[in-house]
Amino acid sequence: MPRPALLPPPPEPAVRLDPLPDMVGYALRRAQVAVFRTFSKAFAEFDVRPAQLGVLTVVGNNPGLKQSEVAEALGIQRANIVPLIDGLAARGLVERAKAAVDRRSHALRLTDAGRELLGRLQRREAEYESQLTAAIGETGRRRLLELLAAITAACDEPSEPA
Amino acid sequence: MPRPALLPPPPEPAVRLDPLPDMVGYALRRAQVAVFRTFSKAFAEFDVRPAQLGVLTVVGNNPGLKQSEVAEALGIQRANIVPLIDGLAARGLVERAKAAVDRRSHALRLTDAGRELLGRLQRREAEYESQLTAAIGETGRRRLLELLAAITAACDEPSEPA
DNA sequence: TATTGTTATACTCTATAACTATA
DNA sequence: TATAGTTATAGAGTATAACAATA
């Protein structure tokens, strides 16, 4: 302990991060990691990850959708949604309907168990959002959603400006 | 083409995503994926990923810092920063100083090449941010950074409210 | 020819445990 | 005993290529 006692709390040289905290990409990454961690805690009892909640939500809203349509709606590669749906199907939450007009595709539906779980997830989700609202206010939360949507749309444009 | 001509653009049944677009976690993920993709394009000529820019920035700002200090400042596990610095050192951008007071640790510094590259990266970075500003305005960008920082701080608190 | 689901593969990021050498 | 760097490993997300069945 090279510092004499009685001094105020250690000043901590403080690592200089500039200009990282002023970069949208950096701030987004830090926020996403933090939110995903708390999200995982909030949904730990359900053993459901964010991507799985996304699939359950879209299938619940749009029964009969094809896998590739669900993937596109969520911005996931159609190759990557296969193990995701495998997991949900193995847990009896989602069904790949056998018959279909186009026999290449799978019409997806929630099972009764899937619908029941989705209901509980959405209630928990509402609680989780209100916890975030406690941090930035409902006005701040709405504004954040707007700004994120605008950034996403700008980057996803065919001739993306960024 | 089962649809007669002359009709307005195809209505597209439109997949219902609600309430996903109103969830901060979902909006964050979509925004981060979109921003990282355009970021990668903007920095493609430098072959530098976001995490690498973070390390170069922190080492440039704080020469002599230990690996574990850089990792903590960036929110990276100290085990995961090893290959990151390996890569930067192999390219001659960062040096692990041989000698030190504590011979367990590595004092990190940028090489001349690293400093030169970091300068170019930061100029490109400023351009990139101004492209994002074109999408949401400078006021929107500042507000977005504030909101993201508030969310991050709230989630990272020991007794995180979310 | 094109599309759907699928498999295989690769790379990045994140996380944990355990080792080593120093302290 | 504690810490810094390291190694190994595992899991999730993302991405591309290619194949079989079907259209």
Side-chain angles (χ1 to χ4, degrees):
Chain A
M1 200 183 288
R3 188 168 39 81
L6 291 188
L7 283 184
E12 289 262 1
V15 176
R16 286 185 51 215
L17 290 174
D18 58 292
L20 295 180
D22 286 327
M23 294 172 56
V24 170
Y26 178 80
L28 270 177
R29 171 186 161 260
R30 296 299 297 253
Q32 208 214 359
V33 170
V35 166
F36 269 43
R37 188 158 25 75
T38 57
F39 180 98
S40 294
K41 271 185 207 165
F43 287 80
E45 68 177 284
F46 300 111
D47 191 24
V48 164
R49 280 164 294 121
Q52 296 176 313
L53 175 55
V55 171
L56 290 174
T57 300
V58 169
V59 174
N61 282 347
N62 310 272
L65 226 53
K66 293 185 291 187
Q67 287 188 187
S68 49
E69 291 171 327
V70 174
E72 192 198 352
L74 291 170
I76 298 174
Q77 304 292 320
R78 79 180 194 275
N80 294 332
I81 209 171
V82 174
L84 234 173
I85 294 181
D86 283 348
L88 296 174
R91 289 167 64 177
L93 302 172
V94 166
E95 279 179 349
R96 289 176 162 115
K98 311 91 184 98
V101 184
D102 181 339
R103 277 150 55 215
R104 289 173 304 183
S105 64
H106 290 157
L108 300 175
R109 306 180 303 185
L110 297 188
T111 63
D112 289 342
R115 241 180 312 277
E116 200 270 337
L117 177 61
L118 178 57
R120 283 193 286 155
L121 292 174
Q122 291 183 330
R123 283 189 288 277
R124 171 59 51 90
E125 173 191 306
E127 290 173 25
Y128 179 75
E129 289 298 314
S130 63
Q131 287 175 316
L132 292 181
T133 300
I136 58 176
E138 179 57 15
T139 304
R141 201 183 73 92
R142 301 307 313 184
R143 184 84 180 111
L144 176 58
L145 291 171
E146 281 176 16
L147 290 165
L148 291 174
I151 286 281
T152 304
C155 289
D156 282 345
E157 269 169 21
S159 62
E160 79 281 348
Chain B
M1 200 182 286
R3 188 167 41 82
L6 291 188
L7 282 184
E12 288 262 1
V15 176
R16 285 185 50 216
L17 290 174
D18 59 291
L20 295 180
D22 286 327
M23 294 173 55
V24 170
Y26 178 79
L28 270 177
R29 170 185 162 260
R30 296 300 297 254
Q32 207 213 1
V33 170
V35 166
F36 268 44
R37 188 157 24 76
T38 57
F39 180 99
S40 294
K41 270 185 210 165
F43 287 80
E45 69 177 285
F46 300 111
D47 192 23
V48 164
R49 280 163 295 120
Q52 295 176 315
L53 175 56
V55 171
L56 290 174
T57 300
V58 169
V59 174
N61 282 348
N62 310 273
L65 224 54
K66 292 185 292 187
Q67 287 189 187
S68 48
E69 291 170 327
V70 174
E72 193 198 352
L74 291 170
I76 298 175
Q77 305 292 319
R78 79 181 195 277
N80 294 333
I81 208 170
V82 174
L84 235 173
I85 294 182
D86 284 347
L88 296 173
R91 288 167 63 177
L93 302 172
V94 165
E95 279 179 349
R96 289 175 162 116
K98 311 92 182 94
V101 184
D102 180 340
R103 277 150 54 216
R104 288 173 304 182
S105 65
H106 290 157
L108 299 175
R109 307 179 303 188
L110 296 188
T111 63
D112 289 342
R115 242 180 311 278
E116 200 271 337
L117 177 61
L118 178 57
R120 283 193 287 155
L121 292 173
Q122 290 183 331
R123 282 188 288 278
R124 170 59 51 90
E125 174 191 305
E127 289 173 26
Y128 179 75
E129 288 299 314
S130 63
Q131 288 176 316
L132 292 181
T133 300
I136 58 176
E138 179 58 13
T139 304
R141 201 183 72 94
R142 302 306 314 181
R143 184 82 180 113
L144 175 59
L145 291 172
E146 281 175 17
L147 291 165
L148 291 174
I151 286 281
T152 304
C155 290
D156 282 347
E157 270 169 20
S159 62
E160 79 281 347

